[in-house]
């Protein structure tokens, strides 16, 4: 039912949908199924506009096929150098509307279209078009913006197909919104909290850098600036033929690579390591570099690879600052920053950083092969072009590679330890709050079943299902994460029904060794590792984020930087009513969701508009949670 699968052609799908709507009421189909078909038909009304954009995009790609890929990859790389942020209040026809991640995904879609409709050869990555230096007013700008717009249409298709969203038409506008507004609120709140926690970690590192007594971590830019003062700029020379460009002539002596191979962190890496520790429910004080993310690779290995390309990116940027002529500087940046070299040369360089076997594993995991089905250059930022590899160093350096390697290669289940660290962290918090607790308990509950957490306090029985998945970064990952929530709902429904029988409870409590009596006060919850869906209720079961739940049990305070902390416990110490209010959607859940404000993100496709109904942070949205080593949460 997705017109994007048929090059946005819609006539045949329109006939199918009309026929379905004619017969479905006669078949006594569930109302939500009819609503789905109506929503698809609404979105289909935009397909002719999307098809025109698509055909125009293909025509321009065909015209500029010799240089469009490398030219646009150079643009995307520069967005990461500049830490480009979106402004969704700007018109979607403007580049400023889109963020670096949006435009990187648009570039990935362009690579897919080139491969399917035109063909990509190794020579396709050799040339750039100098006209792109006028980035705000050239054909390449419209190419990547139109690809980003079509991606938004494709995302709307995914929302309708796989998630609880609907579409309605309002004149020439198609509005996409969640069927239950609390779902979209929980999604947006999750993204706000995740962004806020990153900001808190970054701010902590910045404060450390600003303190003369504790400053020990330079940024890569500071290190390179110092190296240039010592003469490193002489290694990056201007080459005249076949076109004027910069060339980095690296010495192959081990001493040159020592700043890359050291275990000493740069400031930006400290933020990544802290985030990795929190995301994996590890103590930030332990050696996070040793966390394994692939059969032989650790977080530390990947950070060294990224450091190498951050080093290259910063060195080129520092050298370009020496070019006073702005137009010449832009041309040199365009022609120089995307690096195309034989694979064997890249291997030789990377072997200065990692053992050969690890180099081969890294390249296998992050190289976009010529026959790769799914294309996203943030997941696989090295691009194969025959026997050459194409690398945009800033893109590679600033992507979340430790996470992306695990997700794109489906390594999460293989690498999670026998005892889920997220589940164990929740167990420790419950034990500290004086609960009786048992985790990963097998028992005959209408069949042998393992329950993640049973816990008891003050006459109340709680059953928690834990879902440890990474923070979703796309509609596809959002669907996967939501699928785990649906699985948890089914699991908890079975247990909740079974526990309504007092005799079943008695047998369970005897097996657990708890000297307690059956109760009618039985509560359930789905506990998640990532922050999306926090505050949502799936069926009878509230969805709550693990760090926030632990703060409710053991903290009771939201710290907000220099502002007065907010206490949300009823008394001075934790009481069972604090947890009950939290699971019931009151307390801090009500505080956070209540402060969200609706807004619309609008994308124009020809004469039509695609409008996503979303929520933004209001005066005080709290990111209650991981403590990030020090604080209980954030404020935005």
């Amino acid at each position: 039912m997705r017109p994007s699968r048929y090059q946005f052609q819609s006539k045949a799908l329109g006939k199918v949908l009309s026929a379905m709507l004619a017969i479905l009421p006669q078949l006594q189909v569930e109302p939500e199924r009819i609503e789905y078909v109506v929503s698809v038909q609404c979105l289909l009304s935009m397909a002719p506009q999307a098809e025109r954009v698509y055909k125009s995009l293909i025509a321009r790609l065909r015209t500029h096929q010799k240089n469009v890929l490398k030219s646009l990859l150079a643009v995307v790389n520069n967005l990461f150098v500049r830490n480009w942020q979106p402004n969704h209040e700007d018109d979607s026809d403007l580049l400023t509307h889109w963020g670096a991640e949006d435009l990187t995904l648009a570039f990935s879609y362009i690579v897919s279209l080139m491969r399917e409709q035109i063909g990509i050869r190794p020579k396709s990555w050799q040339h750039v078009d100098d006209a792109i230096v006028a980035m705000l007013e050239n054909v390449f700008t419209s190419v990547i913006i139109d690809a980003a717009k079509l991606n938004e249409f494709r995302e709307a298709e995914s929302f309708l197909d796989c998630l609880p969203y609907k579409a309605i038409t309002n004149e020439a506008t198609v509005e996409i919104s969640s069927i239950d507004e609390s779902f979209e609120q929980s999604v947006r709140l999750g993204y706000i909290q995740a962004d806020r926690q990153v900001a808190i970690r970054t701010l902590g590192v910045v404060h450390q850098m600003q303190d003369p007594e504790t400053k020990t971590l330079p940024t890569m830019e500071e290190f390179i600036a110092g190296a240039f003062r010592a003469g490193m700029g002489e290694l990056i020379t201007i080459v005249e033929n076949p076109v004027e460009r910069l060339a980095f002539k690296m010495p192959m002596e081990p001493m040159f690579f020592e700043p890359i191979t050291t275990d000493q962190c740069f400031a930006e890496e400290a933020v990544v390591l802290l985030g990795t520790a929190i995301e994996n429910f590890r103590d930030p004080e332990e050696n996070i570099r040793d966390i394994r993310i692939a059969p032989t690779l650790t977080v530390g290995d990947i950070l060294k690879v990224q450091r190498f390309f951050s080093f290259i990116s910063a060195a080129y940027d520092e050298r370009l600052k020496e070019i006073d002529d702005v137009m010449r500087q832009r041309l040199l940046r365009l022609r120089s920053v995307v690096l195309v070299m034989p694979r064997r040369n890249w291997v030789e360089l990377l072997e200065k950083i990692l053992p050969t076997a690890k180099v081969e594993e890294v390249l296998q995991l992050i190289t976009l092969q010529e026959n790769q089905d799914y294309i996203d250059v943030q997941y696989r930022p090295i691009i194969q072009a025959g026997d050459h590899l194409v690398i945009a160093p800033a893109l590679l350096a600033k992507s979340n590679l430790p996470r992306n390697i695990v997700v794109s290669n489906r390594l999460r289940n293989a690498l999670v330890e026998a005892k889920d660290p997220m589940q164990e962290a929740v167990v420790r918090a419950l034990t500290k709050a004086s609960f009786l607790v048992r985790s990963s308990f097998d028992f005959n509950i209408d069949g042998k079943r393992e329950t993640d957490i049973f816990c008891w306090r003050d006459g109340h029985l709680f059953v928690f299902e834990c879902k440890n998945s990474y923070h979703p970064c796309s509609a596809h990952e959002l669907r996967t994460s939501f699928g785990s929530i649906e699985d948890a709902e089914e699991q908890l429904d079975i247990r909740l029904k079974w526990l309504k029988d007092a005799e079943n409870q008695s047998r369970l409590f005897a097996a657990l060794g708890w000297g307690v009596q059956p109760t009618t006060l039985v509560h359930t919850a789905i506990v998640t590792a990532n922050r999306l869906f926090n505050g949502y209720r799936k069926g009878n079961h509230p969805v709550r984020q693990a760090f926030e739940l632990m703060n409710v049990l053991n903290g009771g305070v939201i710290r907000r930087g220099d502002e007065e902390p907010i206490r949300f416990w009823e008394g001075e110490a934790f009481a069972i009513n604090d947890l009950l209010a939290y699971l019931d959607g009151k307390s801090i859940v009500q505080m956070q969701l209540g402060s969200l404000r609706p807004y619309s993100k609008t994308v124009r496709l020809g004469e039509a508009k695609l409008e996503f109904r979303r929520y933004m942070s209001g005066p005080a949205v709290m990111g209650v949670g991981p403590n990030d080593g020090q604080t209980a949460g954030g404020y935005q």
Side-chain angles (χ1 to χ4, degrees), residues 307-593:
R307 183 187 299 166
F308 174 58
F309 289 103
S310 177
F311 176 88
I312 293 173
S313 178
Y316 272 109
D317 202 48
E318 191 70 22
R319 180 67 177 86
L320 285 163
K321 290 176 184 176
E322 298 174 357
I323 309 297
D324 293 329
D325 186 311
V326 173
M327 188 58 68
R328 185 179 179 222
Q329 184 189 104
R330 290 180 181 176
L331 282 171
L332 287 172
R333 183 183 298 278
L334 173 69
R335 296 168 179 170
S336 308
V337 295
V338 173
L339 309 173
V340 184
M341 289 198 316
R343 187 183 191 276
R344 64 179 182 276
N345 291 3
W346 284 118
V347 170
E348 185 180 3
L349 283 169
L350 292 172
E351 283 175 341
K352 300 294 184 182
I353 302 165
L354 297 176
T356 301
K358 289 192 174 188
V359 169
E360 290 297 335
E361 187 171 11
V362 168
L363 291 178
Q364 178 187 353
L365 293 173
I366 67 174
T367 297
L368 180 65
Q369 307 292 340
E370 292 176 322
N371 60 351
Q372 202 91 40
D373 290 334
Y374 180 73
I375 299 175
D376 187 328
V377 296
Q378 280 200 264
Y379 286 84
R380 294 182 180 270
I382 297 178
I383 301 170
Q384 180 186 0
D387 59 358
H388 285 56
L389 297 180
V390 183
I391 299 179
L395 167 64
L396 192 156
K398 295 190 178 182
S399 295
N400 188 349
L401 277 192
R403 172 206 179 275
N404 290 352
I405 285 173
V406 173
V407 172
S408 63
N409 294 281
R410 300 178 181 177
L411 296 171
R412 180 69 161 170
N413 291 337
L415 297 175
V416 170
E417 298 135 2
K419 290 187 175 182
D420 182 348
M422 181 269 275
Q423 184 174 313
E424 291 301 300
V426 173
V427 167
R428 289 193 295 273
L430 288 163
T431 303
K432 184 178 179 181
S434 301
F435 282 76
L436 295 174
V437 189
R438 181 69 67 87
S439 65
S440 302
F441 186 69
D442 283 323
F443 199 71
N444 187 351
I445 301 177
D446 289 338
K448 186 177 180 181
R449 304 178 193 279
E450 181 183 89
T451 300
D452 288 343
I453 296 176
F454 285 116
C455 55
W456 170 281
R457 177 172 156 165
D458 299 341
H460 293 262
L461 174 65
F462 298 85
V463 189
F464 296 150
E465 279 297 311
C466 298
K467 297 300 177 183
N468 189 352
S469 57
Y470 279 136
H471 176 75
C473 294
S474 66
H476 175 75
E477 291 180 17
L478 183 65
R479 177 183 65 184
T480 301
S481 193
F482 184 64
S484 70
I485 301 298
E486 292 179 310
D487 292 342
E489 178 191 19
E490 182 179 354
Q491 294 163 350
L492 288 175
D493 280 346
I494 293 169
R495 288 155 178 77
L496 191 59
K497 180 180 178 182
W498 186 84
L499 288 166
K500 288 181 179 179
D501 187 323
E503 292 184 5
N504 289 339
Q505 287 192 35
S506 295
R507 291 198 301 275
L508 174 66
F509 295 154
L512 290 168
W514 295 350
V516 299
Q517 297 300 313
T519 179
T520 59
L521 305 175
V522 180
H523 315 275
T524 59
I526 302 167
V527 183
T528 62
N530 68 61
R531 294 183 176 275
L532 270 70
F533 314 120
N534 188 29
Y536 184 58
R537 177 174 287 272
K538 189 72 179 75
N540 295 312
H541 318 293
V543 182
R544 298 294 182 263
Q545 203 273 335
F547 282 122
E548 187 175 87
L549 172 62
M550 291 188 287
N551 190 23
V552 170
L553 295 168
N554 301 150
V557 174
I558 303 168
R559 295 186 176 88
R560 306 179 297 165
D562 295 332
E563 297 187 49
E564 188 71 19
I566 296 176
R567 290 195 64 85
F568 56 84
W569 282 347
E570 289 182 356
E572 290 299 312
F574 170 77
I576 198 67
N577 284 340
D578 294 313
L579 178 57
L580 296 177
Y582 173 65
L583 295 180
D584 196 37
K586 300 172 184 175
S587 180
I588 53 179
V589 174
Q590 188 176 49
M591 186 190 310
Q592 294 174 110
L593 293 178

Side-chain angles (χ1 to χ4, degrees), residues 32-204:
E32 58 265 29
R33 294 297 188 184
I34 297 177
E35 184 177 43
Y36 161 73
V37 176
V38 171
S39 291
V40 173
Q41 190 177 54
C42 289
L43 185 60
L44 197 68
S45 68
M46 285 194 70
Q49 301 287 348
E51 184 183 7
R52 281 191 278 274
V53 173
Y54 174 84
K55 288 182 175 178
S56 172
L57 176 59
I58 294 296
R60 283 170 284 162
L61 291 177
R62 198 177 301 278
T63 300
H64 298 277
Q65 60 183 285
K66 292 182 179 180
N67 49 36
V68 66
L69 290 177
K70 190 175 182 182
S71 297
L72 286 178
L73 185 55
V75 170
V76 167
N77 185 77
N78 194 41
L79 296 176
F80 282 89
V81 172
R82 297 169 62 184
N83 294 312
W84 185 273
Q85 299 299 317
N87 182 359
H88 290 147
E89 293 183 358
D90 285 353
D91 192 287
S92 61
D93 285 337
L94 300 176
L95 197 69
T96 51
H97 174 94
W98 308 94
E101 287 77 14
D102 299 323
L103 296 172
T104 305
L105 195 59
F107 174 75
S108 300
Y109 183 44
I110 287 168
V111 174
S112 178
L113 292 177
M114 285 285 293
R115 180 190 289 177
E116 294 170 2
Q117 301 298 321
I118 299 168
I120 297 177
R121 298 178 297 279
K123 288 185 177 180
S124 303
W125 299 99
Q126 290 183 359
H127 305 291
V128 296
D129 189 328
D130 289 349
I132 205 171
V133 295
M135 187 56 209
L136 298 179
E137 46 187 53
N138 63 68
V139 67
F140 295 96
T141 308
S142 67
V143 163
I144 201 165
I145 288 175
D146 282 351
K149 289 181 177 182
L150 292 176
N151 272 341
E152 295 292 308
F153 186 95
R154 296 164 70 215
E155 183 167 284
E157 292 177 323
S158 295
F159 282 176
L160 298 182
D161 271 8
C162 310
L163 294 163
Y165 284 83
K166 64 182 179 180
I168 62 172
T169 53
N170 182 9
E171 296 180 351
T173 300
V174 175
E175 296 179 1
I176 307 292
S177 61
S178 59
I179 295 170
D180 176 356
E181 69 174 7
S182 69
F183 180 85
E184 177 66 19
Q185 288 175 333
S186 71
V187 169
R188 294 305 139 195
L189 178 62
Y191 282 121
I192 291 168
Q193 290 182 332
D195 288 346
R196 183 56 184 163
Q197 292 302 326
V198 171
I200 289 172
R201 296 167 207 156
T202 304
L203 190 61

